[in-house]
Amino acid sequence: MSEAELIFMMGSYEARFPTDRFYALNHMWMQPVDDRIRVGFTAYSVRLLQDVYFLDWEVDAGVSVKPKQTIGEIESSKAVSHLTAPIAGDDIQFNEALLNDPSLINTDGYGSGWLFSLKSEVEMLTAEDYVGHLEEVWKETQRVIKGQVQ
């Protein structure tokens, strides 16, 4: 992980956001790697999901996706949720290691726990913009999760 990071306090939990990547409002990070954008869950998202233990893709590798398109499903100790694409892109490729061990999302979310990659040239939020958004919505988020975050 990058040495430079921003911290957002979720109650007493520190959610860390490396500044060497970009972010989306659906709580995913995006990092340019060669000619692709690698995508994973932010620390904020992982904290709300808690222990991820199942992942399934609903689209085939190589297809193009649109923003907010459902591409898979994830199951955690808190819920079963749809996975949606944070941005439009082409030639989606999945992190095959996660199908065998989705716990990498919990243990190395900014490293080997990345979800998928795609080719895209859209604009994305900086870490500073994303943390600013979290600060704006945190009070409402706490109310929605009703004390689940200590």
Side-chain angles (χ1 to χ4, degrees), residues 68-127:
K68 299 182 182 178
Q69 177 182 342
T70 298
I71 59 172
E73 189 172 80
I74 191 158
E75 191 168 344
S76 73
S77 60
K78 288 289 178 190
V80 175
S81 305
H82 289 289
L83 285 173
T84 58
I87 57 175
D90 300 313
D91 188 27
I92 192 167
Q93 299 296 319
F94 304 107
N95 181 353
E96 295 296 328
L98 291 185
L99 293 176
N100 297 325
D101 185 10
S103 71
L104 292 171
I105 295 168
N106 307 317
T107 60
D108 192 19
Y110 290 115
S112 60
W114 61 275
L115 299 168
F116 59 90
S117 68
L118 44 71
K119 293 183 178 184
S120 182
E121 295 183 15
V122 301
E123 289 189 30
M124 300 167 270
L125 297 174
T126 65

Side-chain angles (χ1 to χ4, degrees), residues 1-56:
M1 181 166 28
S2 161
E3 289 183 29
E5 60 187 14
L6 299 178
I7 297 172
F8 177 76
M9 295 303 297
M10 298 175 70
S12 60
Y13 176 78
E14 290 184 350
R16 297 175 177 272
F17 305 100
T19 58
D20 67 347
R21 55 200 77 204
F22 298 94
Y23 296 86
L25 295 180
N26 70 343
H27 309 298
M28 291 182 162
W29 58 262
M30 294 161 289
Q31 182 179 41
V33 176
D34 299 323
D35 67 336
R36 303 184 67 79
I37 304 292
R38 190 172 278 177
V39 180
F41 285 123
T42 66
Y44 180 90
S45 183
V46 171
R47 177 66 176 174
L48 293 180
L49 285 168
Q50 298 205 356
D51 292 326
V52 173
Y53 55 81
F54 180 75
L55 176 66
D56 188 35

Side-chain angles (χ1 to χ4, degrees), residues 123-136:
E123 289 189 30
M124 300 167 270
L125 297 174
T126 65
E128 292 83 1
D129 292 338
Y130 179 66
V131 169
H133 167 73
L134 295 179
E135 289 169 349
E136 289 175 16

